[in-house]
Amino acid sequence: MASSKGNRVFVWIILILLFVGLIGFGATGLSGNATRLGTVGDKELEVQSYANALQSRIRALESQTGSAVSMAQAQQLGLDRAVLGQLVTERVMDEAADGLGLSVGDAAVRDQVLAIPAFQGLSGNFDRDTYREALSRNGLTVAEFEESLREGAARGLLQSAVVAGVTASDTHVETLIDFLMARRDITWAPVSLSDTAAAPEEDGRPRVLLPEIALDAEIPAPTEAEIEARYAAAPEAYTAPEIREISYVWLRPEDVADDLEVGEEEVRALYDQRIAEYVQEERRLVERLIYPDAEAATEALARLEADEASFEDLVSARGLTLQAVDLGDVARGDLRAAADAVFAAQAGDVVGPLETDLGPALFRVNAVLAAEEVTFEEAAPDLRDELARARARREIDRRSDEITDLMAGGAALEDLAERSGMLLDQIEWTTETTGGITDYAPFREAAAAAREGAFPELMAFEDGGVFALRLDAVTAPALRPLDEVRDEVIADVEAETRARLRAERAEALAARIAAGESFEAAGLAPKAAANLTRRSFVEGTLPAFIRDVFALEEGETRAITGEGFAAVVRLDATHPPAEDDEGVVAERQAIKERLGTGLAQDIYAAFATAVQSQTEIRIDDAAVQAVHSSFR
C-alpha cells in the first residue's frame, strides 16, 4: 500500500504543480497563429501553457473571493507576472534537466495519465476518446501533454537531487526548543485600587487594616488646571479628522442582476456540470494492509480475532505506518473486487483476506460515509443567483466601455447617473467612515487620494462593480474646542490618574513582598501558575504578561502593569523543556520539518536563480498581450 499511496501522491503533485492548466479545460479560447510565447534556452514557452496557467490562477482566486476577477484586476494583483515567472522558472529547470540527461520512461508517464480522473469514461476506467477530447479542448495534442508530464517528472527528479539530505541542524532546533518550551512557575496577584492591605500581626494580635485608596470609581475629580493641561498636551486626541465631501456614482452587480432573467435550462446545465458536488455516493474511510500471500493474510487475521495483536500491531509487523496503509475515503469503484465485503462491514470491522491488484489484503473500515444528495430544487436558487451575478458582471464590463467613453467626452457624474443607470450619491468621508461603499478598499484608497478639480476615473471593485468619484470640497483637520470635548478630556485625565495610582500601589506592594512579606499579609489574593511557556496565556492578564514573566530572574518579585491592569508577580522556579512531554516531542519534530523545508526551498530557489542567470530568455510581449486580450 505504501508504494501505491506514494504513486497517487506523486501524480497529484505533478498535476497540481506542473500542469495547472488542466483546471481550466475549455475555458480559454485563443485565436491566431501564434503558438510560442517565447524561448528559455532551447525550450519553447507555449502560448497555450501560459493561457491555461493564468486561467487556472484566476479561477482559484475567484473561488477564494466568491466573485469574478477581470483581467485588469488580475494584472493589478500581479497574477500575470507571477504565472509567467513560474512558467519561465519551470522551463529553466527543464533545460537544466535535459542538460543532465534526466528523464523518465514511458511506463511512468502512462501511470500518470491513467490516474487522472478527467480522462476516465462512464465506466470509471481510462477512456482514450475522452483523453483526446479533453486535450483537444485545451489546445493540446497527446504528444504535447505527455511530453509536459515527462518534463515535469524529470524536473521533480532534479529538484529532489538538489535538496536531498537538506535538514535543520540539531543546534538550531534545540535553541528554538529551549526558547519556546522553557517553563516558569509563578505566584501572582492582581492589584486594584479597591483592595485594603492587612498589616502583620503584632504580639499575636492582628493590627488594623492599612487604609488604601478607595474604589477605582472614587478617584479625585480632575481640577480645571489638569483638564486644560491634558487638552494642551495631547491636541491630536481632540482634533477632528479631515472631512472630504465626495460625490460618487456606483454600479453594483446585484442592481444589474435584478433585471436579468436566467433560464431554467441554464440553471439545470450548471447543476449537471457540478453534479459531483451535489450527488456523492456512499463512501468508506478505509485502511488496506497488503500481504505477500493468502496464508500470511489469514494468519494475521487469526491473530487479530484472537486478540493476540491489534491492527496497528499487524501494520508495524509489516514495517509500515498507518499513514502508509491509509486509503482515505473510497467509493465502491475504487475497491473493485473487495467492494462488496468492505461496504458490508461496519465502522471498526476488519475484513479479509480479499484479493486486490497488489495481492491479498486485510481492510479496516474506520468510518461509514453515507451518500449525500442536494436536489436540483434545493440548489437552484443559489445557482440561479450565481448565474445572474456572473451575467451582471459581464454586463457591467460591457457597459464600462460606454461609461468610459462618456467620461472621456466630459460627462459629469450626474450625467453618468442619468444616462447609464448608475447610483449617484454624496458623502462626507473621513478615515473613520464605515458602511456602504466606504467598506470597499478601492473606494477608500481613491477617496484618500482624490484631488479637487481632477477628472473622475472609472474604477472596479473585486465583486465586479464599478464606481467613479469626485472630490467637491475638503475641510482640514481642526482642534475641537475644549467645551466640545470636555467629557473626553475628563475621562482621559481620570484614566491616567487611575493607571498611575494603580501602578504606584503595585510597585509599593511588590517592594514589600520582595522584602519578605507574604502576598496575604500585603492584602493580596495570590494565584499560582505552573509550567508556563512563552506560548501560555494566564487568564485575567494582558497578552504581554508572559513576555514580562520571562524577563524575571528566579526569585525576583516585580510589578507588571499595562492598560487597565496591574499585578505583583514572583518568579518561583525556572525549568527546561520537559523532554517526556508529548507536546515538546511534537514541537521539536515540527520545528525540524519547518526548518528543513525552508532550507530546502531556499537552496532550490538559489539553484534555480543561478541556472536562470546563465540561460537566455526571450519573451514575446505581443504574444503575452494577445493572451491577455483573449480574457476580456
Side-chain angles (χ1 to χ4, degrees), residues 59 88 189 205 318 340 372 408 608:
R59 288 266 178 95
V88 167
R205 295 174 298 174
R318 296 283 295 147
D340 290 341
E372 296 181 2

Side-chain angles (χ1 to χ4, degrees), residues 515-538:
E517 194 170 345
S518 70
F519 279 81
E520 292 83 359
L524 297 175
K527 305 177 183 181
N531 291 321
L532 298 176
T533 71
R534 295 180 191 273
R535 291 177 174 172
S536 299
F537 176 76
V538 179

